[in-house]
Amino acid sequence: METYFNKFDKVFVALSGGADSAAVLMMAVEYLGADRVTAFTCTGSHVFGHEIETAKEIAAKLGVKHVCMVVDMPEQFYENAPDRCYHCKKATLAKIVEMAKGDTIFDGTNIDDDPRNRPGFRALQETGIISPLRDLGLGKSFTLDKVKPLDIDFHDESCKATRLTLPIDEERMNRVERVESLLRDRFRGLRYRLDDNRIEFKKPVRLSASDFENIVNAVGMIS
């Protein structure tokens, strides 16, 4: 692993606030030193606020410079077509490329990520982003173990736009965030599908009567 990172001088890491990009940032700091690493985080309206706060906490704990940048999404993103994630990823990475001024950029894509299910892979290729985890054959189990020393409660998230089926707008994305913020710490993997007005969980859960009441009350407060 040391041989891999020694190929690079100064690097920028696209830090989403998730475990994968946090692991990459930790590796970069470990092998290159904090003074040669800068973290970039997108703060667009489609990003959950708690993810941005988590990214800030990660960067602070690792002692790296952290740049939060607003990225304007292209019109294709708001159309919410199947390639929405590609347009989001391309706009975000293009902004980092612009700011990095020719230096190497890392992201948190790992070997378990399937390109067939992730339109954003094309954006990685088009912008020349390097994925150390994928290059080194490292997957989710590695990242979850790697980030344990950070002592951060990572949530398995995706952006607010993934909760919508109709064209995307700011007001409805904000409603998604308000509902999920009320429930996130109590229910892991929760997703509020606003256009269908329903709650989903990424993994099976057993809900009590009070759990149902809490969920109904949270949705009712925002709707």
Side-chain angles (χ1 to χ4, degrees):
M1 201 172 291
E2 184 175 357
T3 300
Y4 176 89
F5 283 96
N6 280 344
K7 296 182 296 184
F8 307 103
D9 181 19
K10 183 179 179 182
V11 302
F12 293 77
V13 178
L15 180 65
S16 67
D20 293 332
S21 59
V24 170
L25 187 63
M26 292 177 72
M27 294 161 71
V29 170
E30 180 179 352
Y31 291 104
L32 299 176
D35 59 326
R36 296 164 62 188
V37 180
T38 300
F40 279 92
T41 298
C42 173
T43 62
S45 59
H46 60 295
V47 183
F48 283 103
H50 80 94
E51 290 263 275
I52 298 169
E53 293 307 310
T54 299
K56 292 178 180 178
E57 183 180 359
I58 294 166
K61 286 187 173 184
L62 296 177
V64 301
K65 179 181 178 181
H66 186 214
V67 178
C68 289
M69 57 184 189
V70 177
V71 179
D72 295 325
M73 291 292 105
E75 187 60 37
Q76 297 95 322
F77 170 80
Y78 292 97
E79 293 170 358
N80 208 5
D83 62 350
R84 173 200 64 233
C85 293
Y86 162 75
H87 294 292
C88 173
K89 195 85 160 182
K90 183 66 178 288
T92 301
L93 295 178
K95 182 74 172 181
I96 299 177
V97 168
E98 176 187 336
M99 300 181 74
K101 301 184 185 303
D103 287 313
T104 300
I105 301 169
F106 291 160
D107 90 314
T109 302
N110 69 60
I111 198 66
D112 296 329
D113 294 326
D114 188 347
R116 294 171 298 180
N117 300 325
R118 292 177 177 263
F121 263 92
R122 179 157 58 101
L124 291 173
Q125 295 172 336
E126 292 175 353
T127 51
I129 306 303
I130 293 173
S131 305
L133 294 173
R134 194 166 184 81
D135 290 347
L136 294 166
L138 302 172
K140 199 68 176 181
S141 61
F142 170 85
T143 65
L144 293 178
D145 186 62
K146 183 69 176 178
V147 300
K148 285 180 181 177
L150 291 175
D151 193 27
I152 289 175
D153 186 17
F154 287 96
H155 292 267
D156 187 8
E157 287 290 9
S158 51
C159 86
K160 288 181 268 184
T162 63
R163 294 4 179 208
L164 306 176
T165 54
L166 300 174
I168 298 164
D169 63 61
E170 306 287 333
E171 189 275 333
R172 294 190 309 125
M173 285 196 292
N174 289 335
R175 284 170 61 192
V176 167
E177 175 151 31
R178 292 199 298 273
V179 169
E180 293 196 13
S181 293
L182 292 171
L183 301 170
R184 179 175 294 109
D185 291 336
R186 187 181 179 97
F187 304 104
R188 306 289 295 191
L190 177 143
R191 302 287 188 266
Y192 176 43
R193 306 298 182 188
L194 186 147
D195 294 322
D196 299 323
N197 198 33
R198 61 186 169 88
I199 296 287
E200 288 183 356
F201 297 89
K202 290 197 68 179
K203 296 179 181 179
V205 295
R206 178 174 292 180
L207 300 176
S208 66
S210 62
D211 290 334
F212 277 108
E213 184 178 355
N214 287 331
I215 291 171
V216 169
N217 287 340
V219 173
M221 287 173 59
I222 305 303
S223 300

